[in-house]
Amino acid sequence: MQALVKSAAGPGLVLRDVPMPPMGINDVLIRVHRTGICGTDLHIDAWDPWAASTIVPPLVIGHEFVGEIVDVGSNVTDFRAGDVVSGEGHVVCGRCRHCLAGRRNLCASTIGLGVGRDGAFAEYVVLPMTNIWHHWPGIDPEIAAIFDPFGNAVHTALAFPILGEDVLVSGAGPIGLMATAVVRHAGARHVVVSEPNPYRRALAMRLGATIAVDPRERALADVAAELGMVEGFDVALEMSGVPGAIRAAVDAMAHGGGIALLGIPTQEIQMDLNAIVFKMLTLRGIYGREMYETWYKMTVMLQSGLDIGPVITHRFDHREFDAAFAAARSGESGKVIMDWTT
Ligand code: NAD
Ligand code: ZN
C-alpha cells in the first residue's frame, strides 16, 4: 500500500509502498478515504527538536482520518466491513487506574497514532476496536476526517459552562476556529478571537466570532469595554501556546473565570501567579478528547446545526502532499485535507 513515511531522522517525508499493517484479533482494518493535516504532522515533517526526541523512523505519520472498515479481527463483533469510521488517535493502555475507571483520556501511557505507532496517512490503517468511532448517518465525510482536532476543540470549548458567558479564544488556528463555532453554538454571549494572522481572523468571523482582534493592535480590556462586559472574560480557551497570549488571557479574565489550556507551549512560560490567586481563576489543561463523550457531543452538535465547514480551506490528492503540507504550514489556511481514494 502507499503511505506517507518519515523514513529517516531529518526533515522531509516520502510517499512510498510499504507492507500492509499487521492486524491482531482485537483490531480493525480501515481503508482510509480522507485525512487532515495536524500541526503534529508539520513538526514531524520539519524534524524539530520535539520530533527528533519523540519519533523513531521509519514511521507512517498522520492521525486525522475517515475511512471504511474492510476487515475485523476474530474478537471484534461491534464493527463490520463497510462501516464508515474515524479513529481516536490516542491508544491507551487499558489497565491503569484511569483506564479501568473509564477515564481513558487520563491514561498516562497513551501511544499516539502516527507518532508512537504507524498512522493514517496511508491507504490502510489498523487500530484496536476500542479506538474506533462509527460515524452516525448524515455526518459529512470531510468533517468526519477532522473529528480528531474537532474533538480537541469541543473538549476545550466545553471544559467550562458556556451558556450566556463571554468567551475569549486566543489563537485561531484550525482548533481555535472550530472552538469559536462550538462556543457560539453552545450559547456564548460574546466570542472574542485574538489572532495576529488576518486570514485567520477573517475565518474566525465566518465561524461566529463577535469580533476578531489583532493582539498587537488592541488590548483585550479595550475590546471587553467596547462590548460592554461587566468585568472581563468568564471563559478563555487558550489555543496558541504563545506565552504573551496566555498572560494576556489571565489579565483579561473576570474574577472566578476559567481558562482551558489546549495550546502547547514550546518554551517555559513565566507567569505572575498573583493574578490567578486573587482572581480565583481555574486553569485546566486539556489533552486529546474524552473517550467517547467528546465524540458523542461532536456528533449531536453537528446534528443540531453546528457548522464547522468553513474551517476546511484546502483539498489535495495525497500525491500532492508537498503542496498540502506547504498550505498547512503557510498559516494562510484552516484545515487541509488529503484524499487517499484516488
Ligand atoms: P496553530 O499553530 O495552527 O494555531 C495557533 C494560532 O495561534 C496561529 O493561528 C497563530 O497565528 C496564533 N497566535 C500566535 N501568536 C498569538 C498571540 N500572541 N495571540 C493569539 N494567537 C496567537 O495550531 P492548531 O492546530 O489550531 O492547534 C492549536 C494549539 O493546540 C497548538 O499549540 C497545538 O500544538 C495545540 N494542540 C494541542 C492538543 C492537545 O491535545 N492539547 C492537540 C492538538 C493541538
Ligand atoms: Zn491507561
Side-chain angles (χ1 to χ4, degrees):
M1 66 168 188
Q2 288 221 302
L4 199 51
V5 181
K6 170 62 76 179
S7 58
L13 298 165
V14 287
L15 185 66
R16 71 175 191 202
D17 277 322
V18 301
M20 288 285 286
M23 203 178 130
I25 57 172
N26 294 313
D27 290 338
V28 171
L29 176 68
I30 300 149
R31 174 70 173 92
V32 176
H33 290 166
R34 290 185 178 91
T35 57
I37 297 178
C38 169
T40 303
D41 306 316
L42 300 181
H43 292 304
I44 299 174
D45 174 31
W47 204 249
D48 67 6
W50 170 82
S53 66
T54 310
I55 304 297
V56 182
L59 178 81
V60 177
I61 73 159
H63 55 274
E64 303 176 1
F65 76 94
V66 64
E68 180 178 331
I69 293 181
V70 288
D71 197 9
V72 299
S74 57
N75 259 357
V76 180
T77 53
D78 290 347
F79 303 105
R80 55 188 56 81
D83 289 350
V84 175
V85 300
S86 288
E88 165 54 56
H90 289 182
V91 179
V92 300
C93 80
R95 294 180 301 276
C96 69
R97 172 186 176 177
H98 289 304
C99 280
L100 289 173
R103 299 185 293 261
R104 289 180 279 181
N105 61 301
L106 296 180
C107 178
S109 308
T110 297
I111 295 170
L113 182 68
V115 176
R117 58 185 279 154
D118 279 334
F121 289 178
E123 287 179 285
Y124 294 90
V125 64
V126 160
L127 272 171
M129 60 177 155
T130 45
N131 279 68
I132 303 299
W133 177 261
H134 186 177
H135 285 291
W136 296 15
I139 298 299
D140 182 299
E142 261 192 351
I143 300 296
I146 57 167
F147 255 47
D148 175 296
F150 177 29
N152 294 134
V154 167
H155 191 186
T156 315
L158 303 185
F160 297 100
I162 289 298
L163 181 62
E165 304 291 27
D166 293 330
V167 181
L168 170 67
V169 178
S170 100
I175 301 181
L177 289 167
M178 289 186 276
T180 298
V182 172
V183 292
R184 175 57 72 207
H185 184 78
R189 181 173 69 156
H190 294 309
V191 185
V192 174
V193 174
S194 175
E195 165 63 60
N197 174 334
Y199 178 96
R200 291 183 161 178
R201 285 202 302 276
L203 268 180
M205 294 305 293
R206 286 188 62 197
L207 283 149
T210 310
I211 183 171
V213 296
D214 185 337
R216 297 164 302 186
E217 285 174 3
R218 281 202 75 182
L220 291 171
D222 209 44
V223 181
E226 177 192 314
L227 292 173
M229 289 184 204
V230 178
E231 202 183 301
F233 292 91
D234 305 299
V235 175
L237 312 178
E238 207 311 298
M239 306 205 145
S240 74
V242 173
I246 299 174
R247 287 191 213 101
V250 168
D251 287 346
M253 297 304 288
H255 280 217
I259 306 181
L261 299 160
L262 180 92
I264 301 174
T266 54
Q267 63 195 93
E268 260 187 49
I269 298 181
Q270 238 189 329
M271 292 212 31
D272 179 5
L273 290 184
N274 281 289
I276 295 166
V277 173
F278 290 119
K279 284 187 173 181
M280 295 158 279
L281 302 180
T282 303
L283 269 62
R284 180 164 162 204
I286 304 283
Y287 182 49
R289 300 139 297 278
E290 285 186 356
M291 301 155 209
Y292 281 84
E293 179 64 10
T294 306
W295 295 74
Y296 179 91
K297 283 275 168 63
M298 288 186 254
T299 301
V300 295
M301 284 192 288
L302 290 172
Q303 288 186 329
S304 58
L306 171 65
D307 180 12
I308 58 165
V311 79
I312 299 176
T313 55
H314 293 72
R315 297 157 178 88
F316 293 92
D317 185 285
H318 69 277
R319 293 178 198 83
E320 305 167 317
F321 69 90
D322 268 331
F325 272 67
R329 210 182 294 120
S330 72
E332 302 278 291
S333 54
K335 207 73 212 172
V336 178
I337 302 287
M338 290 192 293
D339 186 343
W340 290 83
T341 59
T342 55

